[in-house]
Amino acid sequence: MPASARARTLERLQTAANDGFPHAQFNMAGKYLRGEDVPQDFRQAQKWLTKAAEQGYAPAQVLVGLMRLTGVGLPRDLSETAFWWSLAAERGNDAAKKAAEALDPLLKPREVVRSHQLRAQWGSLIRDLAESANQRSNLKSVNRDLQTAAEEGDLGAVLSMLARGADADSIGEDRRNAVLNAAWRGRNQVIRLLLQRGASTELTDEAERTPLLWAAINGQTSAATELVAAGANPNHRDADGMTPLIRAAWNGHEAVVRTLIQAGAKVGARDETGKTALSYAEREGHAGIARLLRDAGAR
């Protein structure tokens, strides 16, 4: 990914995390855990994960519990692991439910007592905060509604689902998320809103295609522009080894090709068959695109 794209992503996530959006805080924590575009810092990761977990964001609760279990970034504490995983399980997180069930026989009596004390002290407050956000809605249903509203470009419904606690990064049918659903249909306002809330640009579907890849495939120039401005990777490869540039060139989407070149797409990238964007443009008779690619250094 070009350095400029990474910088835009980091700036966007930092803003959204500071504004209190839990999925942005979770994504920010991931950067600190991996040392991706920031120095690896487990304390910073723990800070952002805890902020998200305290808002009832189940993926963050699972990860805080895992850090407590392994002692990575936080002191090992099985009581806290049990506490966070039980809260995530209540939020409908299947992985947390299975993990909590597996952990239960391993807990010492004092750890069970401590976990119950934490639940008594903090659990109801965290649940109340989460429930006030989602109005006791079924989260799986709300997440599905968000993905549908994003695909349909219903901005009001998207805002409503987010206010009810929907996870902007949740994955639905065919492993598609709301940003991807909005991108392939060119729902630019929805894309902008989700990205401002800290949603990821890089989650992929079953074919390993990102929102930018789908915008490129379908010739959604404005969507592609929104995504690259937010830091989307113009060089991500799908399951066929194709980049957004190759897809756009093959399908004859000249404006998208121009946008991707300006965003730092590698014009010489080859797919699994050895073909480049220029190869496809020439084969399909897209003379204007072939000219653009040669001007950008393609051979």
Side-chain angles (χ1 to χ4, degrees), residues 17-66:
N18 286 327
D19 286 344
F21 297 112
H23 44 275
Q25 293 167 342
F26 179 78
N27 288 337
M28 196 70 223
K31 285 191 169 292
Y32 279 110
L33 284 173
R34 297 186 296 269
E36 180 183 287
D37 304 325
V38 294
Q40 191 174 52
D41 189 329
F42 291 127
R43 285 191 176 184
Q44 283 293 318
Q46 181 267 336
K47 179 189 82 170
W48 288 118
L49 283 174
T50 301
K51 285 180 179 292
E54 288 174 348
Q55 293 190 68
Y57 190 59
Q61 293 172 338
V62 171
L63 198 47
V64 171
L66 182 61

Side-chain angles (χ1 to χ4, degrees), residues 3 8 65 93 150 224 253 278:
R8 288 193 295 272
N93 188 286
H253 302 312
L278 180 58

Side-chain angles (χ1 to χ4, degrees), residues 214-245:
W214 272 110
I217 289 169
N218 289 344
Q220 303 291 0
T221 307
S222 296
T225 301
E226 288 284 349
L227 289 162
V228 297
N233 182 7
N235 295 311
H236 176 87
R237 294 177 181 273
D238 64 17
D240 298 315
M242 292 193 172
T243 65
L245 184 65

